[in-house]
Amino acid sequence: MRVFGIDPGSERTGYGCVETDGSRHRIVVCGAITTPALAAFPDKLHLIHSGLAAILRDCRPQAVAIENLFHAVNVRSALKLGHARGVAMLAAVESGVGVYEYTPAEIKKAVVGYGRAEKSQVQHMIKLLLGLAAVPSPHDAADALAVAICHLHSQMPAGVAGAAPMPARSKATSWRQYRPASAPTALPPAPLERSGPSTSSGPSRASSRDGGTGRRTKPLS
C-alpha cells in the first residue's frame, strides 16, 4: 500500500509518500513546496496546487492523508492556511484516490503512541520507522510523512509495522455493569464452638414480657 501525506501551509507545504508491504515501511519521496515570499497570494496557491498535482501523478498513491486544520496564530493566518489546505485537498481529489483527514493529536497517537508528544519525538519515530540515517528535512516533510504513517497504522491491526497498540474497550457501558474478571471463591463460615451457657448480660426477649405470655408488662409508676 502506498500513501501520500500532506502537511499544508501557505509559505511551505510538506509532502511525503510512504509504501508498506504490511511489515516494513519504505519512504518513496518527501520534500516541501516553498512559495516565493514576494509572490501574490493567488500565485502561491496555484504553485501549491500544481506542484502537488505533479508529484501525485508521479507517486500514484492508493490514498492521500492530510493534516486537519486545528489552530493558527490569528484569524489572518488561519484564513491563509485554510486556502492552502483547500488547494492541496483539491489536488488530492483530482488524483482520483480517497482523501483522509487526521488531527495532530491523532497523528501523534498513531506514530508515537501519545497524543501530546513533542514534535521532536514524532520526528525521531519517523526516522526509526523508515530506517533513515537522519530526520527528514525540512520539518514540513517529516510532518507529512507522519500523516502518511498515521493513515497506514489506522488501516493495519495493532502490532504490525510498528503500529501503536490500541487500548481494548470494555463491553460495559456503565460502572453499574462492571464485573471483575474473576471473583474470589467465598469460603464457608467456620462453625462456632460453644463452651457453656450464654453469658450475655442483656435481658432476654422473654424477660421483657410477662411470663412469656406474649403481653408486654407495663412500666411501674
Side-chain angles (χ1 to χ4, degrees), residues 158-208:
V160 177
M166 299 300 291
R169 292 191 175 186
S170 173
K171 294 182 180 180
T173 58
S174 171
W175 65 269
R176 294 183 179 87
Q177 299 176 358
Y178 171 76
R179 297 293 183 276
S182 58
T185 304
L187 297 177
L192 297 177
E193 296 182 0
R194 299 182 179 273
S195 57
S198 173
T199 59
S200 174
S201 59
S204 65
R205 183 178 182 86
S207 64
S208 64

Side-chain angles (χ1 to χ4, degrees), residues 2-7 12-18 27-34 46-64 88 91-92 94-95 97 141 144-145:
R2 181 175 289 191
V3 178
F4 192 91
I6 301 176
D7 178 39
R12 191 165 54 192
T13 295
Y15 62 88
C17 189
V18 178
I27 184 172
V28 178
V29 66
C30 73
I33 301 174
T34 303
H46 180 264
L47 181 61
I48 294 172
H49 175 268
S50 59
L52 288 176
I55 300 171
L56 284 167
R57 284 193 298 268
D58 294 338
C59 292
R60 302 178 65 182
Q62 279 81 43
V64 175
E94 290 176 342
S95 66
V97 299
L145 290 171

Side-chain angles (χ1 to χ4, degrees), residues 8-11 13 41 45 48 66-90 101:
S10 59
E11 303 297 332
T13 295
F41 188 65
L45 296 178
I48 294 172
I66 185 169
E67 184 176 1
N68 203 349
L69 176 65
F70 74 108
H71 82 280
V73 177
N74 49 52
V75 177
R76 184 182 181 89
S77 299
L79 289 174
K80 288 185 176 181
L81 182 58
H83 286 309
R85 186 172 177 275
V87 296
M89 188 173 293
L90 175 61
E101 302 175 73

Side-chain angles (χ1 to χ4, degrees), residues 122-163:
V122 177
Q123 294 173 350
H124 182 68
M125 281 300 301
I126 293 299
K127 183 184 75 171
L128 294 179
L129 291 174
L130 296 177
L132 304 176
V135 175
S137 181
H139 65 83
D140 305 88
D143 292 343
L145 290 171
V147 181
I149 292 177
C150 172
H151 180 70
L152 287 175
H153 287 183
S154 68
Q155 303 300 308
M156 295 187 301
V160 177

